[in-house]
Amino acid sequence: MTTAAPSLPTQQKAWAKAIAQPAQEFPLTPLTVLSGDIPTDLRGSLYRNGPGRLERQGQRVSHWFDGDGAVLAVHFAEGQAQATYRYVRSAGFTEEEQAEQFLYSGYGSLAPGPLWQRWNAQLKNAGNTSVLALPDKLLALWEGGWPHHLDLHTLETKGVHPLGQLRDNDPYSAHPKRHPQTGQIFNFGIVPGANATLNLYRSDAQGHIEKKESVPLNGIPLVHDFVLADRYLVFCVPPVRLNPLPAVLGFQSFSDALMWQPKHGTQLVVVDAETLEVISSEAVDPWYQWHFGKGFVNKDGDIVLEVVRYPDFATNQQLKEIATGQIKTVADGEFWRICVEPQTARVRSQTCLIADHCEFPHLAEDQPTAMAPTYLSIQPSAQDNTGELFRAIARFDPDTEKLTVTEADPDRYPSEPIYVPKQGGDAPAGWVLSVVYDGAAHQSELWIYDSDRLTEAPICRLHLPHVVPHSFHGTWRPG
């Protein structure tokens, strides 16, 4: 249930100040350079999405995932940058703005009011998780509903979009994958029921759904991401199942009604990307994951995938606590490489590549997938990270298995690193962009790194007009 907004703890970490108050929007504004120079050949737009409002009239959401989505756009051209930050004006956001109170349930929050009112309370499509840049529109994505259509330049919300084939009860999840050769876009959605259904979607490069198939699942699991590996899709269905009755009756939020059931193991499901039909399925030892890195088919025809693995579902409690401004639960993810035989879904090998807590893997997409480095958020192992958000970003090179870490100052918090390829030139190289919250100065900045010199100071730091709360995912759209 939503609770009165707590006074943030006096011993809070610096990151908590970024989410203590609802974010302030700002219109298209030229950005001030704090240090260095904007590369003249950096042309395009960075988009980031995350929960911008966690509080309304003294009430606070009960899970970080339930904040209203707000999108940052930074447009680069001719050595200049301008940015805008706007809320996703979903129907639920608009109604709650007018009512000046929360009205809807969320992933981890219950609608206000007595129990009988909650039985029919709808979930709010917060549009707060990720973004997909299409040729003529930006999509703000959320797990449980249709995407919101935003203007690519101004971020004006145009309404939800069915992408040609979505029906009323068809969710379009927050981690679509674009095929590097064909440009086709793959995604999925979990449709709840006595047993859930996994909807699979294949779209053209404009986002229009061309093919749709459904796969039955056991119970109602939580599936957040998947892997595209050339001609295969791979889903790792963790042993998390919804206890539906308390959630449906309004006794518990969906988050609180999710149960960790390791006896089921993690189910690997391999799907043919052309037909969207299941090729194989196999249960393996249990783990939980939010996000995958890259996937590819090796010379032996096996699928190789990267994943941030957790030993259990404690990560959900940790993410819930972020909304309170104080993290007490320890839940560390490790970065693994797993090799899977596609015809049987059996694991041939698995290796832990990074034992330090890390998340948000992002691929250098301009290079052959097998050899492309992966960029991540990471906790510096030499520091006391108790109660902290990520304070460093890193690059993992698969050929040498070298991990390069660049740490921010103790009270600075970089977001998911986004790799941007340089246009032209022979050698693979690019930039790495990260929105950084400076807790000491209570301001947000955009840092630009040279991807080949990640341990050096950023080549440019840009000042954002207002604080941008910690966000989830972003993307780059070339100009």
Side-chain angles (χ1 to χ4, degrees), residues 50 201 234 363:
Y201 312 114
V234 183
L363 181 64

Side-chain angles (χ1 to χ4, degrees), residues 426-446:
D426 298 326
W431 298 282
V432 176
L433 276 56
S434 180
V435 175
V436 177
Y437 172 65
D438 185 335
H442 190 51
Q443 68 182 29
S444 292
E445 303 173 9
L446 176 62

Side-chain angles (χ1 to χ4, degrees), residues 289-308:
Q289 83 283 320
W290 294 110
H291 302 117
F292 295 92
K294 64 189 176 188
F296 61 92
V297 177
N298 66 15
K299 59 182 177 57
D300 298 321
D302 292 330
I303 299 167
V304 180
L305 59 90
E306 297 174 344
V307 58
V308 178

Side-chain angles (χ1 to χ4, degrees), residues 362-384:
H362 184 84
L363 181 64
E365 296 177 347
D366 62 330
Q367 301 170 46
T369 304
M371 302 310 298
T374 301
Y375 296 86
L376 311 98
S377 298
I378 195 166
Q379 286 291 26
S381 56
Q383 297 184 17
D384 179 6

Side-chain angles (χ1 to χ4, degrees), residues 15 45 67 102 105 127 136 172 193 205 246 290 293 299 312 341 411 425 476 479:
W15 62 262
S45 298
F102 287 123
S105 292
D136 61 345
Y172 189 83
W290 294 110
K299 59 182 177 57
D312 53 34
E341 201 284 313
D411 288 343
W476 173 258

Side-chain angles (χ1 to χ4, degrees), residues 96-174:
E96 290 178 340
E97 280 279 278
Q98 293 172 348
E100 296 186 344
Q101 62 176 334
F102 287 123
L103 302 172
Y104 289 84
S105 292
Y107 167 78
S109 304
L110 293 172
L115 179 63
W116 63 269
Q117 287 184 344
R118 294 188 224 135
W119 290 349
N120 295 316
Q122 295 181 335
L123 283 174
K124 179 174 60 177
N125 182 339
N128 67 2
T129 309
S130 189
V131 279
L132 175 62
L134 299 174
D136 61 345
K137 64 177 70 71
L138 182 73
L139 300 182
L141 305 177
W142 180 68
E143 297 288 277
W146 288 9
H148 282 85
H149 169 192
L150 309 184
D151 182 275
L152 282 164
H153 192 63
T154 66
L155 301 183
E156 177 188 357
T157 303
K158 305 288 189 177
V160 291
H161 200 292
L163 302 179
Q165 282 203 38
L166 295 176
R167 298 171 301 185
D168 287 346
N169 62 338
D170 285 341
Y172 189 83
S173 198

Side-chain angles (χ1 to χ4, degrees), residues 291-467:
H291 302 117
F292 295 92
K294 64 189 176 188
F296 61 92
V297 177
N298 66 15
K299 59 182 177 57
D300 298 321
D302 292 330
I303 299 167
V304 180
L305 59 90
E306 297 174 344
V307 58
V308 178
R309 284 177 29 168
Y310 297 83
D312 53 34
F313 197 45
T315 172
N316 188 55
Q317 176 64 26
Q318 185 186 73
L319 294 166
K320 176 180 180 178
E321 291 167 2
I322 290 177
T324 72
Q326 192 171 37
I327 299 173
K328 299 178 181 178
T329 299
V330 176
D332 291 346
E334 297 178 335
F335 193 55
W336 285 70
R337 178 192 294 138
I338 302 175
C339 183
V340 178
E341 201 284 313
Q343 299 306 317
T344 63
R346 292 177 181 170
V347 173
R348 290 195 184 274
S349 64
Q350 48 186 330
T351 306
C352 180
L353 302 174
I354 304 173
D356 292 331
H357 179 39
C358 56
E359 255 297 356
F360 303 122
H362 184 84
L363 181 64
E365 296 177 347
D366 62 330
Q367 301 170 46
T369 304
M371 302 310 298
T374 301
Y375 296 86
L376 311 98
S377 298
I378 195 166
Q379 286 291 26
S381 56
Q383 297 184 17
D384 179 6
N385 298 310
T386 305
E388 287 285 9
L389 294 187
F390 291 110
R391 291 181 289 175
I393 59 175
R395 165 179 165 154
F396 180 81
D397 292 286
D399 53 344
T400 62
E401 296 196 353
K402 178 183 178 182
L403 180 68
T404 303
V405 178
T406 180
E407 299 181 21
D409 292 337
D411 288 343
R412 283 175 167 164
Y413 301 88
S415 67
E416 167 199 51
I418 302 294
Y419 174 84
V420 177
K422 290 183 179 177
Q423 300 178 16
D426 298 326
W431 298 282
V432 176
L433 276 56
S434 180
V435 175
V436 177
Y437 172 65
D438 185 335
H442 190 51
Q443 68 182 29
S444 292
E445 303 173 9
L446 176 62
W447 290 12
I448 305 172
Y449 290 91
D450 187 316
S451 66
D452 288 341
R453 298 176 177 86
L454 199 61
T455 57
E456 298 179 6
I459 60 175
C460 185
R461 290 172 48 224
L462 297 167
H463 180 261
L464 295 172
H466 292 292
V467 168

